[in-house]
């Protein structure tokens, strides 16, 4: 699918819809309204950003061999598992490995990494590991982790992701899990109360009700969570203002009622954007400490560790003399390895993928497509419209190249992971009046 054509199709459809309610007969008014629509005021340029490349860590199997994880984790966390295949070892990013180590040490932390960085696995792996180890010494069934999502859709989505690793048949799961969000019928809730899952997925409103209602089923669910080990708040940035205060009080009641030795984990793609990395981490740590009611030091704020895909020796300066010729030659049909050394790939990664802070690569802010085309035109000396068409085609061509590379290496991934591979276009089709800063926070 050509995302740029799709975006324009949506804009055109919406434009026709908004104009269908009135018929303007006065030429001057019709001209004024048409100029307002053509100004991009109501549907700004799409923002583009290239997914950066995360620095690889080890695999779950290697952590098991090093004695950091329970041996069963090596069987659970594998990619491409099916009835006919055991799959392949699950590779980890450096930031995932760091988060797993913190949780294993019983330390609370916040992970502030971007979309598609594997934040969920960063807490599910240590939670599953802790459950497996705890069940060796304590056979009593109980809920050892509660994961709170801001929306039921996220809880349902994660329920499906857990099935891929822990199995779809409840009776055969080495670690059990369940959803309790208010969508479940009476039979499901009774089953949850009678057979408590190791991991409970819910939302903060339902957890509030579970702790305050006097329903026998709800009280049983809470009794089953006595001695709780993990409390996770996903999408931490959504808990602010009065809602943030409500959640902060809820966390304190959970600690008082279920266990004060909680490992608190927060995740968010966006928490703080201003200042140096140390200043940002300090700000996030301060907010997280107030929200969780337990000390979370700034060195327990886990951030992305990125590395380049294109050759490290190439810079914007070194490829500048050959950019024009590369654009004139058209978008190539080449392999991923060849594409990674292409001059425009270097320009794209260094302009739309990465920024550097004190020599450390960090994710670049999204740029409007028009802005990116202007920058490419300035760097290559080619006209802006030529650069815009080339950039669109180049980004679209890069996506299947990366997908092919992943398949070639035998890494079986979900569709969602494919969409967030490096050198993949991320475009936001904003149909409302928002600023680039607001889009960045989405």
């Amino acid at each position: 699918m050509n995302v740029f054509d799709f975006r324009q199709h949506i804009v055109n459809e919406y434009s026709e819809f908004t104009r269908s309610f009135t018929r303007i007969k006065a030429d001057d008014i019709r001209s004024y309204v048409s100029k307002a629509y053509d100004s991009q005021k109501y549907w700004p340029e799409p923002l583009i950003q290239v997914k950066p490349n995360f620095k690889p860590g080890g695999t779950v199997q290697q952590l098991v061999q090093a004695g950091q994880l329970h041996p069963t984790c090596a069987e659970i966390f594998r990619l491409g598992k099916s009835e006919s295949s055991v799959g392949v070892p699950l590779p980890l990013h450096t930031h995932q490995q760091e988060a797993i180590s913190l949780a294993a040490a019983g330390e609370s932390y916040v992970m502030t990494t971007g979309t598609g960085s594997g934040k969920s696995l960063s807490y599910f792996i240590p939670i599953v590991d802790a459950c497996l180890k705890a069940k060796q010494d304590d056979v009593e069934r109980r809920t050892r982790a509660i994961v709170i999502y801001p929306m039921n859709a996220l809880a349902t989505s994660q329920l499906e992701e857990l099935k891929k690793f822990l199995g779809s048949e409840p009776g055969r799961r080495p670690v059990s899990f369940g959803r309790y969000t208010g969508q479940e019928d009476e039979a499901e809730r009774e089953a949850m109360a009678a057979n408590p899952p190791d991991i409970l997925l819910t939302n903060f409103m339902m957890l509030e009700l579970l702790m305050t209602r006097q329903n026998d089923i709800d009280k049983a669910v809470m009794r089953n969570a006595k001695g709780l080990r993990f409390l996770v708040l996903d999408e931490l940035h959504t808990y602010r203002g009065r809602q943030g205060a409500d959640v902060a009080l809820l966390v304190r009641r959970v600690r008082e009622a279920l266990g004060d030795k909680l490992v608190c984990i927060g995740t968010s793609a966006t928490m703080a954007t201003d200042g140096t990395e140390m200043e940002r981490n300090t700000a996030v740590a301060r907010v997280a400490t107030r929200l969780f009611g337990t000390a979370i030091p700034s060195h327990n704020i886990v951030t992305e560790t990125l590395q380049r895909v294109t050759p490290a020796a190439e810079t914007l300066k070194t490829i500048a003399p050959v950019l024009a010729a590369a654009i004139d030659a058209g978008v190539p049909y080449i392999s991923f390895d060849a594409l990674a050394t292409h001059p425009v790939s270097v320009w794209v990664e260094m302009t739309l993928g990465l920024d550097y802070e004190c020599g450390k690569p960090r994710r670049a802010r999204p740029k409007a497509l028009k802005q990116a085309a202007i920058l490419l035109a300035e760097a290559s000396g080619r006209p802006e419209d030529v650069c815009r068409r080339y950039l669109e085609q180049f980004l679209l061509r890069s996506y299947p190249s990366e997908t092919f590379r992943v398949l070639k290496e035998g890494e079986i991934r979900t569709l969602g992971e494919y969409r967030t591979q490096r050198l993949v276009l991320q475009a936001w089709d904003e149909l409302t009046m928002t600023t680039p800063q607001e889009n960045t926070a989405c």
Side-chain angles (χ1 to χ4, degrees):
M1 178 190 296
N2 185 328
V3 67
F4 299 105
D5 290 344
F6 179 70
R7 182 255 180 193
Q8 191 58 50
H9 171 74
I10 295 295
V11 168
N12 292 341
E13 290 284 317
Y14 189 68
S15 176
E16 291 181 13
F17 171 74
T18 57
R19 297 184 191 209
S20 65
F21 298 98
T22 57
R23 181 177 298 175
I24 303 174
K25 294 184 178 181
D27 293 339
D28 55 342
I29 298 177
R30 184 170 60 252
S31 175
Y32 179 87
V33 172
S34 295
K35 286 180 180 178
Y37 275 111
D38 295 338
S39 68
Q40 299 288 313
K41 181 179 181 180
Y42 300 105
W43 28 76
E45 281 274 311
L47 299 181
I48 57 174
Q49 179 190 55
V50 172
K51 174 71 160 52
N53 182 45
F54 299 110
K55 185 176 180 180
T59 64
V60 170
Q61 189 168 6
Q62 289 172 336
L63 293 183
V64 168
Q65 292 170 349
Q68 291 182 252
L69 295 176
H70 190 279
T72 307
C73 287
E75 303 171 15
I76 294 172
F77 295 104
R78 300 178 70 84
L79 293 173
K81 290 196 299 183
S82 66
E83 294 182 359
S84 60
S85 173
V86 296
V88 296
L90 176 67
L92 299 171
H93 304 310
T94 297
H95 59 261
Q96 290 177 311
Q97 193 164 338
E98 181 182 347
I100 291 170
S101 297
L102 286 171
E107 296 191 39
S108 299
Y109 69 88
V110 175
M111 172 166 280
T112 59
T113 59
T115 303
S117 58
K119 291 188 288 293
S120 297
L121 280 176
S122 299
Y123 57 77
F124 276 131
I125 291 174
I127 286 175
V128 168
D129 171 63
C131 290
L132 290 170
K133 292 174 179 176
K135 292 165 81 169
Q136 291 179 162
D137 303 321
D138 182 7
V139 296
E140 181 183 355
R141 298 195 64 168
R142 65 177 65 184
T143 296
R144 293 178 167 86
I146 294 178
V147 185
I148 303 172
Y149 297 97
M151 295 182 293
N152 287 345
L154 290 173
T156 301
S157 172
Q158 289 305 310
L159 193 74
E160 297 303 314
E161 288 299 312
L162 282 173
K163 289 179 182 179
K164 295 176 183 177
F165 293 107
L166 294 170
S168 56
E169 297 182 31
R172 300 179 61 183
R173 293 169 183 163
V175 172
S176 58
F177 57 90
R179 182 191 64 188
Y180 204 104
T181 61
Q183 301 176 89
E184 298 73 28
D185 58 30
E186 187 76 10
E188 289 176 304
R189 293 197 297 272
E190 289 178 355
M192 195 92 60
N195 299 289
D198 295 307
I199 305 171
L200 182 68
L201 311 181
T202 187
N203 59 66
F204 74 93
M205 286 299 296
M206 178 52 66
L207 185 56
E208 179 82 41
L209 291 172
L210 282 170
M211 297 195 68
T212 56
R213 288 194 307 205
Q214 296 304 305
N215 180 290
D216 289 338
I217 295 177
D218 293 343
K219 289 194 291 185
V221 171
M222 285 294 94
R223 282 197 305 271
N224 294 334
K226 284 283 187 178
L228 190 71
R229 175 78 183 279
F230 292 93
L231 182 67
V232 181
L233 285 177
D234 196 44
E235 304 291 349
L236 201 63
H237 62 276
T238 61
Y239 304 113
R240 49 190 167 188
R242 195 187 78 174
Q243 181 172 289
D246 289 343
V247 172
L249 292 173
L250 173 63
V251 171
R252 285 156 176 78
R253 290 198 298 275
V254 168
R255 179 178 288 109
E256 183 179 357
L258 303 181
D260 59 351
K261 295 182 179 180
L262 283 176
V263 174
C264 296
I265 300 173
T267 71
S268 176
T270 305
M271 282 288 284
T273 57
D274 297 327
T276 64
E277 182 175 357
M278 183 176 295
E279 291 170 339
R280 294 193 301 273
N281 288 352
T282 300
V284 173
R286 183 170 59 250
V287 172
T289 296
R290 293 182 66 186
L291 191 59
F292 283 116
T294 188
I296 298 182
S298 58
H299 58 262
N300 280 18
I301 308 302
V302 182
T303 58
E304 299 173 339
T305 305
L306 308 177
Q307 67 179 21
R308 288 182 59 178
V309 177
T310 56
E314 297 287 4
T315 65
L316 292 175
K317 183 178 291 187
T318 62
I319 56 99
V322 295
L323 268 180
I327 292 173
D328 293 341
V331 180
Y333 283 94
I334 50 180
S335 67
F336 173 85
D337 293 335
L339 188 64
T341 61
H342 193 276
V344 177
S345 291
V346 177
W347 184 91
V348 165
E349 184 172 42
M350 300 303 292
T351 307
L352 305 177
L354 297 175
D355 278 336
Y356 280 83
E357 181 182 298
C358 300
K360 180 180 178 180
R362 56 173 294 192
R363 189 183 295 246
R365 289 177 177 270
K367 291 180 174 61
L369 180 58
K370 180 177 178 62
Q371 180 188 4
I374 291 173
L375 292 174
L376 182 57
E378 292 173 350
S380 65
R382 291 296 179 262
E384 180 189 331
D385 59 334
V386 172
C387 290
R388 177 170 179 139
R389 287 195 300 271
Y390 186 92
L391 190 57
E392 290 180 4
Q393 295 169 8
F394 189 86
L395 290 170
L396 293 169
R397 187 73 51 80
S398 301
Y399 174 70
S401 174
E402 167 63 6
T403 301
F404 172 77
R405 184 192 69 82
V406 173
L407 288 170
K408 184 178 178 182
E409 291 181 356
E411 297 180 12
I412 306 170
R413 301 194 182 262
T414 66
L415 180 60
E417 288 171 313
Y418 275 134
R419 289 173 176 164
T420 54
Q421 286 295 320
R422 55 184 177 270
L423 287 181
V424 174
L425 170 69
Q426 293 187 337
W428 286 267
D429 298 325
E430 296 297 331
L431 300 181
T432 56
M433 297 170 61
T434 54
T435 64
Q437 288 76 17
E438 289 171 330
N439 285 333
T440 302
C442 292

